[in-house]
Amino acid sequence: MSPSLAVLSERQPPGCALSYTTAGKHTASRWRGPAVAFRAPGGSAAQKEKLPLCKEGCKSLPSCGERGRGRQKEKQPRSSSLLGRRLSRGSRLPQDCGRRAQLPRTRAGRSRGPRAGGLSVNAQKELGSMSSAKFYRIPEGKGPYTVGCTDLMTDHTIQGSFFRLYYPSQNGTSSEETKWIPRKEYYRGLSDFLNVYRILGETVFQYYVGSVTCPAKWNAAFKPGEKYPLIIFSHGLGAFRTIYSAICIEMASQGFIVAAVEHRDKSSSATYYCKENPVSEAREEATENPEEEWIFYRKLNQGEQEFPLRHQQLQQRTEECIKALDLILDINSGKHVVNVLSLNFDWTLLKGSIDSDRIAVMGHSFGAATAIEALSKEARFKCGIALDAWMLPLDDEVYTRVRQPLLFINSEKFQWASNVLKIKKLYSTGTERKMITIKGSVHQSFPDFTFLAGTIVGKIFKLKGEIDPNIAIDISNKASLAFLQQHLGLEKGFDQWDALLDGEGHNVIPGTNIDLPSTQPESLE
């Protein structure tokens, strides 16, 4: 029986350290991904077991559990990830300090992983006896359009575009649902991101989510005959193009075309491009099965400052979003596009189907910062939506350059004062800004993982907040649609949810739930 996996999550971005207390001492290091808790097979009376820390390189790191003592109690996470969140206050996990932490050994000499101790009987059953893929699903779109899905990769270099397209599709042209995580290499990337041995992580991910599909028909024929608005979507740190399918599918079901970009700046857990095959001299034709070049997540080096790396990545991410926009508009104008992936999808059906005057950019966490940067550089984006924005990668110049309307949708548990103050700096241009907070939500209320964890496990490991994840994503999607209708000039009936934009509703807070200082400090760092 495969070990059980629970991804630990809370408001802490990956730059905030997690630690375990070992022999009464705090040992810490920055760790850029979620923790994983395993329940060893056959362990009916599981007990909590502390993961030992690497003895080399940790002590010199500044991010101890005692950090900030004597200062204001506000927590200031340094970065945001798809998954990595705090297990408990003051509880920290090790970074890969040049070697991986060794698991404890039994008397028989066999290594064993930390068990899911301290859980209720129901939680242990949920962890150890079933795959979430068998019991939980990513929600379907609620709009009138059937949703199709395909991938597009151009060029044989890292400079090419790569994105997943969600779109209104023709009924009956495909019966195949889209695989959620399409390649085992993504399991390896997530394992690296989680500081888990690849062979173990790949086994566990394959067991739990290997059969998960998202409710979009793979390579279904595009539905022409209308002019659809376009959304470019940017993923968070440690994610990739497939992880926000619930949001993208809902937008497509409501009549949008959505391009979810997979970033190649080493901020995703994994991505790849296909190298150009050499031409065989004998046959004078390209060989089959192009060679793939995989790119995995780049961790901060010990002592490395985070802003320079993230700001550099931000520039590449922004370029990739704009490049995806250019490519889609080329397809819209009838230009022939060669898909390196050789999928059975007719791109010519998109000709004349995209409304080039109605284009928005959207993203989560690091992707939200990417959306803001893209707005500052590309006027064709008419408005933007920032989901639980992480503002660290942005420089000071961006705040006066964003002239388009912006909607901020925050979770209740992720934001902190200095980050919200940076968001507030964008209000200075006088352009419309809206901010709402979803009660009971966490940073992981936006990616798909929240739908694939059981209720008990999801709450214990902060993949779910106090609010039902379907309600949380429904609020986020409806507020987004209302905002898009206002600023793209749509006539879709999305104005029925306008009240959400003012924070009106049982599960919505206007603005932020964070207490802010009465005067903004000169420096937010």
Side-chain angles (χ1 to χ4, degrees), residues 155-442:
D155 202 356
H156 292 277
T157 69
I158 196 172
Q159 285 77 33
S161 286
F162 189 22
F163 57 79
R164 173 157 286 191
L165 196 76
Y166 301 85
Y167 53 88
S169 65
Q170 299 180 39
N171 293 326
T173 56
S174 173
S175 59
E176 180 184 359
E177 287 203 340
T178 300
K179 192 170 183 180
W180 183 50
I181 299 181
R183 298 286 300 275
K184 64 182 180 180
E185 286 83 358
Y186 289 101
Y187 302 147
R188 298 171 186 170
L190 286 169
S191 299
D192 291 347
F193 187 67
L194 304 174
N195 285 341
V196 175
Y197 287 106
R198 282 187 173 185
I199 189 170
L200 179 60
E202 184 176 340
T203 300
V204 172
F205 278 113
Q206 179 63 46
Y207 179 77
Y208 275 91
V209 299
S211 62
V212 171
T213 59
C214 60
K217 299 303 181 184
W218 182 241
N219 286 328
F222 179 82
K223 183 179 181 180
E226 296 183 44
K227 285 276 192 179
Y228 301 104
L230 173 66
I231 298 172
I232 304 295
F233 191 95
S234 175
H235 64 71
L237 195 69
F240 36 90
R241 71 190 188 283
T242 72
I243 298 300
Y244 297 87
S245 64
I247 294 172
C248 297
I249 287 171
E250 174 61 16
M251 296 296 112
S253 78
Q254 299 288 355
F256 290 81
I257 295 173
V258 185
V261 177
E262 186 159 289
H263 294 295
R264 291 169 169 170
D265 61 333
K266 298 184 179 180
S267 69
S268 61
S269 287
T271 186
Y272 71 103
Y273 64 94
C274 295
K275 293 183 176 180
E276 191 167 11
N277 284 333
V279 177
S280 169
E281 293 182 2
R283 299 184 179 180
E284 295 186 353
E285 61 183 14
T287 57
E288 296 181 357
N289 301 322
E291 180 183 356
E292 296 173 350
E293 183 72 21
W294 281 85
I295 304 163
F296 293 100
Y297 179 76
R298 180 218 190 278
K299 299 177 183 179
L300 282 178
N301 298 320
Q302 185 174 337
E304 181 181 7
Q305 292 296 313
E306 184 151 33
F307 174 77
L309 172 62
R310 300 308 180 203
H311 186 67
Q312 180 183 6
Q313 290 175 326
L314 180 70
Q315 305 312 307
Q316 181 174 336
R317 285 168 146 260
T318 302
E319 290 175 5
E320 289 168 342
C321 287
I322 296 173
K323 191 176 297 183
L325 172 60
D326 291 336
L327 179 59
I328 294 173
L329 293 182
D330 283 345
I331 295 171
N332 186 55
S333 66
K335 183 177 179 179
H336 176 66
V337 172
V338 176
N339 190 352
V340 174
L341 301 178
S342 300
L343 298 175
N344 184 25
F345 181 78
D346 187 0
W347 288 94
T348 64
L349 292 176
L350 273 73
K351 181 179 179 180
S353 295
I354 297 171
D355 192 335
S356 59
D357 293 324
R358 292 182 169 92
I359 301 172
V361 62
M362 186 176 187
H364 172 245
S365 197
F366 199 173
T370 306
I372 294 168
E373 184 75 13
L375 287 170
S376 75
K377 293 185 174 180
E378 181 52 71
R380 288 176 294 178
F381 291 123
K382 303 303 181 184
C383 62
I385 299 173
L387 306 175
D388 234 7
W390 173 48
M391 304 295 286
L392 181 143
L394 296 161
D395 62 21
D396 289 336
E397 295 178 1
V398 74
Y399 295 102
T400 57
R401 294 200 310 256
V402 179
R403 300 293 178 177
Q404 303 94 316
L406 252 172
L407 169 64
F408 293 91
I409 302 178
N410 295 337
S411 69
E412 186 175 12
K413 302 298 184 181
F414 175 73
Q415 294 295 333
W416 63 104
S418 62
N419 199 66
V420 175
L421 287 172
K422 288 182 178 181
I423 293 174
K424 291 282 191 178
K425 287 178 68 176
L426 285 161
Y427 286 54
S428 63
T429 61
T431 309
E432 181 173 3
R433 305 284 185 253
K434 292 284 189 178
M435 185 195 303
I436 61 171
T437 300
I438 301 175
K439 293 180 182 178
S441 60
V442 295

Side-chain angles (χ1 to χ4, degrees), residues 8 12-22 25-31 35 50-53 62-68 75-78 85-95:
L8 310 185
Q12 166 217 336
C16 280
L18 294 169
S19 73
Y20 278 100
T21 301
T22 305
K25 298 178 181 179
H26 278 94
T27 309
S29 90
R30 278 187 321 215
W31 182 77
K50 305 300 184 182
L51 181 64
L53 305 186
S63 49
C64 174
E66 302 298 321
R67 181 184 61 171
K75 299 170 187 169
Q76 298 183 9
R78 296 180 55 187
R85 300 291 173 263
R86 182 165 302 178
L87 172 61
S88 61
R89 296 182 185 273
S91 175
R92 300 178 181 267
L93 283 177
Q95 185 186 8

